[in-house]
Amino acid sequence: MKKVIDFVKANNNRYIEELKDYLRIPSISTLPAHKKDMKTCANFVAKKLKEAGMKNVKLIPTKGNPLVYGEWLGAPGKPTVLIYGHYDVQPVDPLEEWDSDPFEPVIKDGKIWARGADDNKGQNFVHIKSVEAYMKTEKKLPLNVKFLIEGEEEVGGENIELFLKKNKKLLKCDAVLISDTSMYAPGIPTINYGLRGLTYMEVEVTGPNRDLHSGSFGGAVANPINELAKIIAKLHNKDGKVTIPNFYSKVKKLTKKEKENIKRLRFSDKKFAKELGVKELYGEKGYSTLERLWARPTLDCNGIVGGFTEEGAKTVLPSKASAKISMRLVPDQDPNEIAREFTKYVKSLAPKSIKIKVKAMHGAYPVVIPLEDPAIVAAAKATSKAFGKKTVFTREGGSIPIVVDFVQQLNAPAVLMGFGLDTDNIHSPNEHFSLDTFHLGIISSIYFFDEFSKIKRK
Ligand code: BES
Ligand code: MN
């Protein structure tokens, strides 16, 4: 073990240079203009898996971006861990808010700054490098490893889902290891045991058949922006509750144990508000901040467009307005049911003076993972050893669509070993990832292989 860890230390600078190369590829999955970059990035990951000593490395074509697979199955009788990550990233807008080029990584203040540095290239690279360190020093791993890295997580991950359903044998494993979540606080080793789900909708409102002079027509016809704003405003009541019928009917309450855990974590609303630059936090009445983030569903408008948005002023009564609205879900809400309820309700709110179209975009099921699983116990031990502190257990407000499918289709626990921080600016300008954490992440991964290799298989 010492040899493996010494290798990581000795090669740390090279690892960082390689991570930079990974981050230079602008693999933005939602923008069609980046189609070619997706393939380039998949090839990059495949090359790194080969260099790390993985066998049977291949790109698996899908209807969308390719999946990258690799394996090392040289430890018969030992457990198998499937490592999942995603090589696609979010768009970089607004570009003018970045202090440096999002696709030209820079090292500053002990962090690496670029789109994808945390979410998810930095985090999945951790495991590629831990495997490499093992293979280069011991010539073998203490357990069997499979990698499955996708290129469509940020757009709902439908193709990996289809692949998983048809390839359960190939992906058979004793646990799925995923680093795509956050630590509770800097330097605090964290295992996440829950993710929220998601229903993402688009609402388009049309008024008159063309843009109109707002003087000649204002007051005579409904303005689609005004009407859309009214509809959005009706989606919450004064207590911050979502008004969609049946929205909360399947929401599970936190257990007593979870409530106690939250208490022990001593979350500071004040510190959180200060870091975000707001005077006060906001949310559903009657729940603490961590409860609202981890165990309560929400509805948020992600973007709204319509009319004249350029510099200067133009008097216009626009023909169209639209909004993207998403809902974060918790067990046992069903994203498809919620999409139907949303559609019905929003349509019912629309006055006769406008036309309304409601479209479901993508979704994800919420998930909670039992903490007693030996894989979770091994992961908690491993991260604690690497970071030199007691591991804490958290749920997350974010979503990773494929996790539920892994758990259900492979009948294996998901180990969410997060190394990010809420302050890393994922999906936002100036994304970054701590280099110390990158290093300790690799060490955690190495310890996990060791700990997990000792468990009795089911
Ligand atoms: N890494 C995130 C998920 C995440 C975010 C975990 C914050 C913990 C904290 C992941 O890449 C992501 O952004 N997922 C999307 C999924 C969606 C597009 C279906 C999300 O949560 O918005
Ligand atoms: Mn993301």
Side-chain angles (χ1 to χ4, degrees):
M1 200 72 124
K2 180 166 182 311
K3 243 170 51 187
V4 186
I5 287 165
D6 285 346
F7 184 91
V8 175
K9 286 184 185 148
N11 286 273
N12 198 43
N13 289 341
R14 172 173 64 84
Y15 287 173
I16 293 167
E17 286 311 309
E18 288 180 29
L19 176 58
K20 279 189 189 167
D21 289 338
Y22 193 6
L23 292 169
R24 283 192 186 101
I25 309 167
S27 47
I28 305 171
S29 51
T30 202
L31 302 177
H34 287 273
K35 200 82 215 158
K36 244 180 85 190
D37 299 315
M38 303 314 294
K39 188 94 185 277
T40 308
C41 201
N43 277 311
F44 178 91
V45 174
K47 185 167 159 252
K48 292 296 151 189
L49 288 178
K50 275 184 212 155
E51 287 171 10
M54 290 293 100
K55 303 278 188 284
N56 193 17
V57 174
K58 55 188 177 193
L59 295 201
I60 299 165
T62 71
K63 276 202 193 115
N65 302 321
L67 296 162
V68 190
Y69 179 81
E71 63 185 22
W72 187 88
L73 306 177
K78 291 284 181 186
T80 300
V81 58
L82 172 66
I83 298 169
Y84 163 84
H86 62 94
Y87 66 81
D88 64 321
V89 300
Q90 286 279 339
V92 296
D93 61 282
L95 190 57
E96 62 282 3
E97 298 288 321
W98 285 77
D99 295 333
S100 58
D101 184 337
F103 295 111
E104 190 41 65
V106 295
I107 310 279
K108 201 180 64 187
D109 306 331
K111 297 164 188 137
I112 184 159
W113 302 72
R115 172 57 86 231
D118 162 331
D119 185 11
N120 174 251
K121 290 174 176 174
Q123 293 212 56
N124 64 53
F125 209 51
V126 156
H127 302 293
I128 301 182
K129 292 296 126 181
S130 69
V131 162
E132 182 192 291
Y134 244 116
M135 292 298 284
K136 289 264 154 79
T137 49
E138 305 284 351
K139 314 290 173 229
K140 60 181 189 341
L141 297 169
L143 40 46
N144 302 295
V145 170
K146 297 174 179 175
F147 275 94
L148 187 65
I149 312 286
E150 74 160 312
E152 298 186 311
E153 192 272 349
E154 302 288 8
V155 288
E158 268 165 39
N159 288 309
I160 190 174
E161 195 186 321
L162 294 175
F163 179 78
L164 168 61
K165 284 201 175 121
K166 287 191 202 138
N167 293 276
K168 286 192 217 174
K169 230 170 134 190
L170 177 77
L171 302 174
K172 192 177 167 3
C173 61
D174 299 287
V176 188
L177 176 61
I178 304 170
S179 294
D180 193 23
T181 49
S182 296
M183 302 196 292
Y184 182 63
I188 303 295
T190 306
I191 299 298
N192 314 109
Y193 68 94
L195 294 165
R196 282 198 287 191
L198 185 76
T199 293
Y200 202 115
M201 309 292 296
E202 187 166 37
V203 180
E204 191 187 83
V205 172
T206 310
N209 58 13
R210 59 188 189 279
D211 282 8
L212 301 171
H213 187 289
S214 68
S216 320
F217 296 92
V221 284
N223 178 325
I225 303 180
N226 297 1
E227 296 310 317
L228 178 58
K230 282 188 221 165
I231 292 172
I232 293 172
K234 284 184 190 142
L235 298 177
H236 288 98
N237 71 14
K238 63 170 187 353
D239 291 334
K241 278 209 169 9
V242 176
T243 51
I244 300 169
N246 306 317
F247 189 73
Y248 294 99
S249 62
K250 290 195 174 168
V251 171
K252 266 196 174 154
K253 287 202 174 74
L254 281 162
T255 64
K256 208 172 140 221
K257 246 182 155 170
E258 288 186 288
K259 282 196 181 155
E260 283 164 11
N261 180 44
I262 287 181
K263 251 200 203 131
R264 270 199 306 274
L265 289 170
R266 296 155 66 50
F267 185 84
S268 162
D269 276 11
K270 225 169 135 188
K271 223 171 108 192
F272 194 60
K274 191 166 173 232
E275 199 276 319
L276 295 173
V278 294
K279 278 220 179 90
E280 185 176 73
L281 298 179
Y282 171 86
E284 188 186 358
K285 248 197 198 146
Y287 297 89
S288 72
T289 305
L290 287 186
E291 284 175 341
R292 296 198 306 271
L293 285 171
W294 295 354
R296 295 298 296 171
T298 56
L299 180 147
D300 276 291
C301 191
N302 296 260
I304 175 161
V305 283
F308 183 70
T309 56
E310 272 154 59
E311 246 178 86
K314 174 188 176 191
T315 47
V316 61
L317 196 164
S319 163
K320 267 189 195 343
S322 72
K324 312 239 191 210
I325 298 172
S326 69
M327 289 154 279
R328 293 286 168 177
L329 311 178
V330 300
D332 288 323
Q333 286 176 298
D334 178 313
N336 299 317
E337 274 173 34
I338 295 292
R340 281 196 293 275
E341 294 288 353
F342 177 94
T343 307
K344 235 189 342 194
Y345 185 55
V346 166
K347 282 189 172 166
S348 81
L349 294 177
K352 255 206 182 123
S353 52
I354 54 159
K355 281 198 276 299
I356 191 157
K357 260 202 265 174
V358 183
K359 194 175 104 188
M361 296 184 76
H362 55 58
Y365 279 84
V367 68
V368 166
I369 297 141
L371 288 174
E372 305 78 42
D373 198 282
I376 302 283
V377 177
K381 253 195 208 165
T383 44
S384 171
K385 232 166 132 181
F387 284 83
K389 291 218 169 90
K390 207 169 161 219
T391 296
V392 302
F393 294 91
T394 65
R395 281 167 69 168
E396 281 285 7
S399 317
I400 307 173
I402 196 65
V403 171
V404 174
D405 302 283
F406 279 141
V407 172
Q408 287 174 356
Q409 304 285 332
L410 303 177
N411 192 24
V415 177
L416 301 169
M417 189 186 276
F419 298 120
L421 282 176
D422 280 345
T423 48
D424 283 352
N425 293 337
I426 67 171
H427 295 208
S428 154
N430 301 313
E431 180 174 350
H432 56 273
F433 190 44
S434 154
L435 289 175
D436 282 345
T437 308
F438 175 62
H439 178 72
L440 292 178
I442 300 172
I443 310 286
S444 301
S445 178
I446 289 169
Y447 283 141
F448 177 73
F449 294 157
D450 189 51
E451 288 293 339
F452 194 53
S453 73
K454 296 182 214 157
I455 68 141
K456 267 226 185 74
R457 299 178 58 204
K458 272 182 238 160

